[in-house]
Amino acid sequence: MDFYYLPGSAPCRSVIMAAKAVGVELNKKLLNLQAGEQLKPEFVKINPQHTIPTLVDNGFALWESRAILVYLVEKYGKTDSLYPKCPKKRALINQRLYFDMGTLYQSFANYYYPQLFAKAPADPELFKKIETAFDFLNTFLEGQTYVAGDSLTVADIAILATVSTFDVAKFDISKYENVSKWYENAKKVTPGWDENWAGCLEFKKFFD
């Protein structure tokens, strides 16, 4: 299946880890956003929103990374452990995925992207929102090894991609004890971590 991506992108890296976890090979196609390749007619035809990551599986096109994570597990997972069929377990995973999308990753984008791509000054109020998001995550992880339930799920994979991006941005994760413990374990147990970290180091160049 074709996978349009950039290695530095956290949402793209989450899909790479999920694909590794379910044993699916991705035909990776680099898309140079700075050169405007996402606006080429042939790509807009695949994804009218012209965003990455975008997956094309035998003619079926899907974008939004968290939707792709769920699709990969539902279609290709040998078990349902990464996205269990139990409605309550699934609801908790969904909540964490939406938390990542709307709160945690969003706080990264709101604070860092204007500085990196528009040379804007740092906004201390936006930094406080990052700290609030990490406080929430730290609370979710009280007494827990994983972010949703008692085993690795797509929620861990999505949030690992995000937290590792904060790591290379030099955000001090160590202040959040539960998050730090979870992060160290997630690095060890998540398939595809090495490729995720290589992508993080690619993204780190924007900070150097």
Side-chain angles (χ1 to χ4, degrees):
M1 61 186 81
D2 289 340
F3 181 59
Y4 296 86
Y5 84 117
L6 270 178
S9 155
C12 292
R13 287 185 273 107
S14 70
V15 174
I16 288 168
M17 289 189 281
K20 185 79 77 173
V22 298
V24 165
E25 286 288 327
L26 298 173
N27 178 32
K28 295 178 189 139
K29 293 176 175 276
L30 274 171
L31 211 58
N32 187 339
L33 302 190
Q34 289 174 314
E37 288 181 358
Q38 77 278 19
L39 300 174
K40 287 184 175 178
E42 56 267 34
F43 185 70
V44 173
K45 190 175 178 185
I46 294 167
N47 174 355
Q49 270 186 279
H50 47 81
T51 54
I52 55 169
T54 293
L55 184 78
V56 182
D57 184 8
N58 199 25
F60 172 65
L62 186 63
W63 52 98
E64 292 294 345
S65 62
R66 295 156 194 85
I68 296 172
L69 300 182
V70 169
Y71 171 76
L72 286 174
V73 175
E74 290 195 313
K75 182 159 187 194
Y76 295 105
K78 293 171 183 64
T79 71
D80 70 349
S81 67
L82 290 168
Y83 193 60
K85 292 185 172 63
C86 166
K88 287 184 179 176
K89 288 181 180 178
R90 184 167 283 195
L92 187 62
I93 293 166
N94 289 341
Q95 186 274 325
R96 301 295 197 252
L97 289 172
Y98 299 144
F99 165 77
D100 179 44
M101 181 180 185
T103 303
L104 187 64
Y105 183 72
Q106 192 64 49
S107 74
F108 182 94
N110 290 347
Y111 179 71
Y112 288 106
Y113 286 170
Q115 296 176 63
L116 295 176
F117 304 121
K119 305 301 180 204
D123 184 334
E125 290 305 309
L126 292 175
F127 188 79
K128 286 179 189 170
K129 292 194 173 177
I130 293 175
E131 294 179 313
T132 300
F134 269 83
D135 280 332
F136 286 139
L137 182 57
N138 204 59
T139 300
F140 299 160
L141 284 163
E142 184 65 44
Q144 303 294 318
T145 305
Y146 299 98
V147 296
D150 54 10
S151 62
L152 186 78
T153 68
V154 291
D156 293 282
I157 292 173
I159 291 175
L160 179 59
T162 298
V163 169
S164 56
T165 311
F166 276 104
D167 190 0
V168 292
K170 298 187 171 68
F171 179 75
D172 187 5
I173 298 165
S174 69
K175 291 193 294 186
Y176 306 90
E177 185 182 353
N178 297 333
V179 177
S180 293
K181 283 196 296 192
W182 165 83
Y183 184 41
E184 288 310 310
N185 181 63
K187 291 179 196 178
K188 293 172 190 155
V189 301
T190 307
W193 162 257
D194 289 345
E195 189 169 352
N196 174 73
W197 187 243
C200 285
L201 295 179
E202 189 82 17
F203 187 72
K204 184 176 183 284
K205 293 171 186 172
F206 287 108
F207 292 91
D208 293 340

